[in-house]
Amino acid sequence: MDAGSGHSAGDGGEAETRSDAGSDAGNDGGRDTGFDGGIDAGQNGGMDAGADGGMDAGPDGGMDAGPDGGMDAGPDGGMDAGPDGGLDAGPHGGLDAGPDARRDAGPDSGVDAGLDAAADAGLCAVPRFEQLTFAVGQQPVAVLPAPPIFGGDVLVANYFDGTVSRHRFDGGAWGRVGTIAVGPSPHGFAVADLNRDGRADLIVTNRDDAEITIRYQDSDAGFDPPVSVGVGPGPLWVAVGPLNGDLWPDLVTANLDVGGFTVLFGSAQGFSAARTFATSGAIHHVEIAELTGDGISDLVLANNGQGRVELWAGLADAGFEERLVLDAGLMTRSVVVRDVTGDGRADIVAVSRAANTADIYPRLSDGGFGRFTLATGSAPMLPLVGDLSGDGRPDLVVPQSSGVASVFIATSQGSFAAPFAVDAGQGPYGAFMFDFDFDGDLDIFVTEFDAASVTVLRRNGCDQP
């Protein structure tokens, strides 16, 4: 694949020609820039790259726009929940997705009395946000903080441009400080030290070419030429993690066009031949988490075609088998594995674009899953999980294609106040949550697919109802 041909639009809309060798003119006319120094005009000042261990980002799967007619599911940036253990079920013999599998939400499990109850409990019932916007490439899909995570920069995958751009907040405004060529139609991407050389590398799915592009960071803070690896048709999202226990990062892609997922096992010699597992519907997103209690990483899939969440258990021989199916409503676009209920166990969150809901599947003490449902508003894109109120409880944010995000503040273990809406820009797509300004409060980044920009919801105080 020719990973560098074509043009990329700069922040001002001028096209910059890229070379076929994989270099990118960027804003300074030089080569592709790395994560740990020498960013374009030298503004980075030699930051140490420190690989982040595989933070994932990707499209959120809500937009009925772009070449795939409904670009895929990308959750909150992909920090996977740690192993939890406990699920003991044979193949297909676990919790059924039907009505008998659903736990009644009850007063402590869903949306409770509302914002007044949150205020009475001493919480930040309505976090206040200041909206900032900055220009990126055309059709931005995914957003992630650049390594090192405490550097404050962000990376954005630009679908039309075939680039990942880097942006920095300086002097009260955001500006582009680097551009990396990553091949055509980039969707989801991840950052991880794939070859264990201490430098963060970039892995990007190329939706239209049934490939992923890998950019290994070199010792001079730039990148080696792009490496293309074939995977299943229509790769939308990539997750990074240890799948076979050898400590080398492995990759898995969610494949839209014919369904299924593709696994690449890493080693000192590079990656194994791609191995694709078939599913019964189009897979929009995948996360890696240990949920079956055997110490082997498992996969959680958003099956858009079947409207369900699937748990594929990792096996000792590095294979996978479908172990559990959870009903999630039509057009299940994204999943997140995180402790949402605050009980120390990893839960699953899935959004249904057709049902306008977020289903939360709390992990039970016996290893099974309950279920309760939150109404999100029109066409939810992806769930984000993080503590916005400052009380140590995980809150939930769900951007929607209508241009708003619903914010659910946790008021007790597994219970949320009625949501409030914040403006999330034009055509929200991908999103991520992190504290870019180091003030102790999480901020929200949302890509605006239609507007070639990113909206930042910067936490700025707290209101009470």
Side-chain angles (χ1 to χ4, degrees):
M1 184 186 70
D2 179 6
S5 62
H7 296 83
S8 73
D11 287 338
E14 295 295 323
E16 303 165 346
T17 302
R18 301 195 306 272
S19 72
D20 290 344
S23 295
D24 192 310
N27 290 338
D28 66 351
R31 63 186 173 84
D32 288 347
T33 52
F35 296 129
D36 60 345
I39 298 298
D40 280 274
Q43 300 171 28
N44 194 353
M47 289 162 56
D48 183 8
D52 70 313
M55 292 193 316
D56 307 334
D60 65 84
M63 230 41 201
D64 288 331
D68 67 339
M71 290 161 64
D72 91 309
D76 63 353
M79 292 183 177
D80 293 329
D84 218 312
L87 185 60
D88 183 13
H92 307 281
L95 192 62
D96 185 83
D100 293 339
R102 300 179 186 179
R103 179 171 65 113
D104 186 3
D108 295 326
S109 302
V111 176
D112 71 13
L115 299 179
D116 288 335
D120 291 344
L123 310 181
C124 179
V126 185
R128 186 188 310 122
F129 296 96
E130 170 192 7
Q131 188 179 78
L132 308 173
T133 301
F134 60 92
V136 295
Q138 295 186 57
Q139 298 179 340
V141 178
V143 58
L144 265 186
I149 189 171
F150 298 113
D153 293 358
V154 296
L155 302 173
V156 179
N158 304 298
Y159 179 87
F160 182 83
D161 295 354
T163 64
V164 168
S165 53
R166 180 169 180 168
H167 305 265
R168 177 170 302 143
F169 187 72
D170 185 21
W174 287 88
R176 184 185 299 207
V177 293
T179 303
I180 308 161
V182 292
S185 58
H187 269 241
F189 71 98
V191 177
D193 183 5
L194 297 180
N195 53 6
R196 299 176 64 181
D197 62 357
R199 295 185 288 269
D201 309 309
L202 185 63
I203 312 101
V204 184
T205 62
N206 300 118
R207 185 259 179 272
D208 293 340
D209 280 6
E211 294 178 332
I212 59 172
T213 294
I214 300 174
R215 299 301 305 266
Y216 290 99
Q217 193 172 182
D218 62 27
S219 59
D220 296 323
F223 288 93
D224 292 340
V227 176
S228 298
V229 182
V231 292
L236 298 177
W237 172 261
V238 61
V240 183
L243 294 177
N244 58 359
D246 65 359
L247 302 181
W248 288 90
D250 307 310
L251 307 177
V252 56
T253 64
N255 305 328
L256 173 69
D257 288 355
V258 296
F261 57 92
T262 298
V263 176
L264 299 166
F265 292 106
S267 70
Q269 291 74 43
F271 285 98
S272 65
R275 183 179 178 188
T276 297
F277 294 78
T279 62
S280 60
I283 303 301
H284 267 250
H285 181 250
V286 58
E287 287 226 340
I288 299 171
E290 203 287 279
L291 295 175
T292 55
D294 58 4
I296 302 174
S297 294
D298 310 307
L299 302 178
V300 181
L301 309 176
N303 190 324
N304 179 75
Q306 297 294 318
R308 66 193 194 188
V309 173
E310 299 178 6
L311 172 61
W312 285 65
L315 306 178
D317 63 358
F320 295 90
E321 68 178 8
E322 187 180 87
R323 186 70 60 85
L324 176 67
V325 173
L326 299 167
D327 178 36
L330 294 176
M331 299 177 71
T332 304
R333 295 297 183 118
S334 56
V335 291
V336 175
V337 181
R338 203 77 91 251
D339 178 11
V340 179
T341 57
D343 61 2
R345 294 188 289 264
D347 310 309
I348 299 173
V349 183
V351 297
S352 167
R353 181 172 169 82
N356 298 327
T357 57
D359 280 308
I360 298 177
Y361 305 92
R363 188 84 171 281
L364 306 179
S365 58
D366 63 0
F369 290 88
R371 178 183 181 184
F372 63 91
T373 300
L374 303 176
T376 60
S378 177
M381 306 296 244
L382 73 162
L384 301 177
V385 178
D387 180 15
L388 291 172
S389 64
D391 64 354
R393 299 187 182 104
D395 305 310
L396 181 66
V397 179
V398 185
Q400 298 147 46
S401 63
S402 58
V404 301
S406 295
V407 180
F408 297 83
I409 299 298
T411 57
S412 62
Q413 183 172 305
S415 183
F416 297 88
F420 64 91
V422 294
D423 185 0
Q426 301 178 43
Y429 207 101
F432 197 83
M433 186 187 296
F434 81 112
D435 180 13
F436 83 91
D437 54 3
F438 318 116
D439 63 357
D441 294 323
L442 287 174
D443 309 300
I444 301 169
F445 290 72
V446 182
T447 62
E448 299 180 70
F449 186 86
D450 295 333
S453 61
V454 167
T455 286
V456 183
L457 301 176
R458 186 182 191 181
R459 177 73 190 282
N460 184 23
C462 181
D463 296 325
Q464 298 295 347

